[in-house]
């Protein structure tokens, strides 16, 4: 047990272009010998190349080989995922304020048009008139007593649905959009693991 090393690959790590990925960055390491753990954390696994672009996959076999190169007598126990996705993060270019404003206006107008077209399709104004007549017994062209609360409720409902007020989260529960984005990211990660990992795809004539 004294020579046993437990390694748990991280799911995703971020590095800068040209960086050397160490075992301590790509995985969590546990062992009885604290000095051994520090030595293993500094073991290099891979240096990012310009040809790698944005994604590199580090397989658990690379980690095992790196540990055994340090000490062949170690008993390496792998737990958790079998690969680590290394994301190469490049410096982001600042978006001009004019471009940001144009995109914001496009999204605002587009969403407003979608809501108005939906209300027109379901004849929401006629429904409000009918409800107002049923409640008050009066017929009016613009039942503002219903339309104003309905508009406010629509906005509040969207805030509660997306669980955000600007950058502030209302509660810890993820919104439906965040859940869908998470599922989408999981699908992308699985695709990347299968197609970017060179060791998982070998030609038939490759030894």
């Amino acid at each position: 047990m004294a020579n046993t090393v437990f390694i748990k690959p991280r799911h995703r790590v971020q590095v800068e272009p040209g960086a050397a990925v160490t075992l301590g960055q790509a995985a969590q390491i546990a062992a009885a010998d604290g000095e051994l753990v520090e030595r293993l954390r500094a073991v290099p696994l891979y240096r990012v190349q310009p040809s790698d672009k944005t994604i590199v996959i580090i397989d658990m076999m690379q980690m095992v080989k790196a540990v055994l190169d340090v000490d062949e007598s170690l008993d390496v126990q792998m737990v958790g995922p079998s690969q680590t996705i290394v994301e190469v993060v490049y410096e982001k270019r600042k978006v001009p304020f004019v471009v940001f404003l144009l995109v914001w206006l496009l999204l605002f107008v587009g969403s407003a048009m979608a809501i108005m077209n939906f209300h027109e399709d379901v004849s929401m104004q006629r429904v409000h008139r009918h409800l107002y007549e049923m409640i008050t017994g009066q017929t009016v062209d613009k039942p503002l007593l219903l339309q104003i609360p309905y508009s406010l409720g629509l906005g509040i409902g969207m805030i509660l649905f997306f669980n955000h007020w600007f950058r502030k989260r209302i509660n810890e529960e993820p919104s439906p959009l965040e859940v869908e984005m998470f599922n989408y990211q999981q699908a992308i990660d699985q695709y990347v693991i299968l197609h970017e990992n060179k060791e998982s795809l070998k030609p038939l004539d490759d030894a």
Side-chain angles (χ1 to χ4, degrees), residues 19-207:
V21 183
T22 63
L23 184 59
Q25 290 176 306
Q28 295 175 279
I29 307 169
D33 188 346
E35 293 184 2
L36 175 61
V37 171
E38 292 301 320
R39 272 202 301 155
L40 293 178
R41 284 177 179 170
V43 172
L45 292 176
Y46 186 83
R47 180 170 290 278
V48 177
Q49 306 294 328
S51 58
D52 294 326
K53 297 182 181 178
T54 58
I55 293 293
V56 176
I57 302 298
I58 296 181
D59 194 85
M60 68 175 181
M61 296 303 295
Q62 294 175 253
M63 301 181 187
V64 173
K65 184 178 182 300
V67 173
L68 294 179
D69 287 341
V70 174
D71 189 343
E72 294 182 355
S73 66
L74 294 175
D75 177 21
V76 184
Q77 298 290 330
M78 301 295 300
V79 295
S82 56
Q83 295 97 359
T84 295
I85 301 174
V86 179
E87 181 182 357
V88 185
V89 180
Y90 295 89
E91 185 178 357
K92 294 182 179 180
R93 293 183 298 178
K94 293 184 178 180
V95 179
F97 179 75
V98 176
V99 176
F100 169 79
L101 185 61
L102 289 175
V103 172
W104 185 87
L105 286 174
L106 179 64
L107 294 174
F108 179 81
V109 173
S111 59
M113 291 294 295
I115 294 173
M116 289 189 292
N117 288 333
F118 168 76
H119 286 164
E120 186 65 25
D121 288 341
V122 299
S123 301
M124 185 64 69
Q125 188 172 10
R126 186 171 61 184
V127 172
H128 283 170
R129 290 174 183 170
H130 186 61
L131 287 174
Y132 187 85
E133 185 177 356
M134 290 176 59
I135 295 173
T136 65
Q138 300 176 356
T139 302
V140 295
D141 292 333
K142 296 181 180 181
L144 299 180
L145 188 63
L146 292 178
Q147 291 178 337
I148 293 177
Y150 174 79
S151 300
L152 294 175
L154 184 64
I156 295 172
M158 294 297 289
I159 293 173
L160 295 176
F161 178 81
F162 289 106
N163 197 23
H164 275 83
W165 173 251
F166 293 99
R167 293 187 178 183
K168 185 177 180 181
R169 182 188 294 269
I170 298 176
N171 54 52
E172 295 182 356
E173 182 180 350
S175 68
L177 179 61
E178 289 174 323
V179 173
E180 288 300 318
M181 290 299 295
F182 173 79
N183 292 333
Y184 177 69
Q185 186 64 54
Q186 289 290 98
I188 290 178
D189 290 345
Q190 290 299 318
Y191 177 89
V192 167
I193 287 173
L194 290 175
H195 289 79
E196 292 290 334
N197 188 1
K198 299 177 182 178
E199 293 299 324
S200 65
L201 300 173
K202 286 288 187 180
L204 291 176
D205 58 350
D206 196 354

